[in-house]
Amino acid sequence: MKFLVDSCISSFAVKALRGAGFDVVWIPETGKDPGDEAIIQRSVDEDSILVTADKDFGELVFVFGKPHSTIIRLVDIPARDQGKILLRLIETHQDAINQKALITVDRYRVRIRLMNKTE
């Protein structure tokens, strides 16, 4: 499983994912942030799960119809908890993650939207 982690996600999350053996690219380590459209395209090109806190990726998918991989959006999750939350999500929602789902996680719930083939 490969992850592309947006710059708005903490290094704690990156360390947790890498510590669990996952292949992780963290945008701040690649140089200048290329912008949302380039990031979503990279996640598709590299077949990586995109992890972000940015709601603009949903707009790219739903309004502009951009192709996407699985997108995990962390909402109001403290930086130190992001890694723990991601690892728990991977354990409990593997099927949705494998289906190019749009997953939103906040402190109280996980919302999953599975995209059908016409979307």
Side-chain angles (χ1 to χ4, degrees):
M1 194 174 293
K2 294 180 356 181
F3 291 87
L4 180 61
V5 180
D6 199 1
S7 56
C8 53
I9 299 299
S10 76
S11 63
F12 296 109
V14 173
K15 288 175 187 169
L17 290 170
R18 287 179 178 157
F22 295 108
D23 181 4
V24 180
V25 173
W26 189 32
I27 295 297
E29 293 175 337
T30 65
K32 184 180 177 205
D33 188 322
D36 293 347
E37 287 190 41
I39 291 171
I40 200 170
Q41 186 60 54
R42 181 174 180 175
S43 72
V44 170
D45 293 345
E46 296 179 359
D47 195 27
S48 296
I49 297 160
L50 175 58
V51 181
T52 187
D54 188 344
K55 67 182 180 181
D56 294 338
F57 290 101
E59 182 179 1
L60 289 173
V61 170
F62 295 115
V63 176
F64 297 104
K66 296 286 183 184
H68 63 89
S69 61
T70 294
I71 299 173
I72 299 172
R73 181 170 170 248
L74 303 179
V75 179
D76 295 328
I77 304 294
R80 289 194 180 273
D81 295 336
Q82 290 175 350
K84 176 178 61 178
I85 296 289
L86 283 168
L87 293 176
R88 189 172 336 133
L89 182 74
I90 293 164
E91 281 182 28
T92 59
H93 291 85
Q94 186 81 37
D95 289 341
I97 291 169
N98 291 333
Q99 295 181 51
K100 296 187 179 179
L102 299 176
I103 303 171
T104 303
V105 181
D106 65 30
R107 293 180 193 173
Y108 307 105
R109 64 183 172 176
V110 174
R111 291 172 296 182
I112 298 171
R113 176 153 182 194
L114 296 174
M115 305 300 285
N116 65 41
K117 293 180 181 171
T118 61
E119 288 186 285

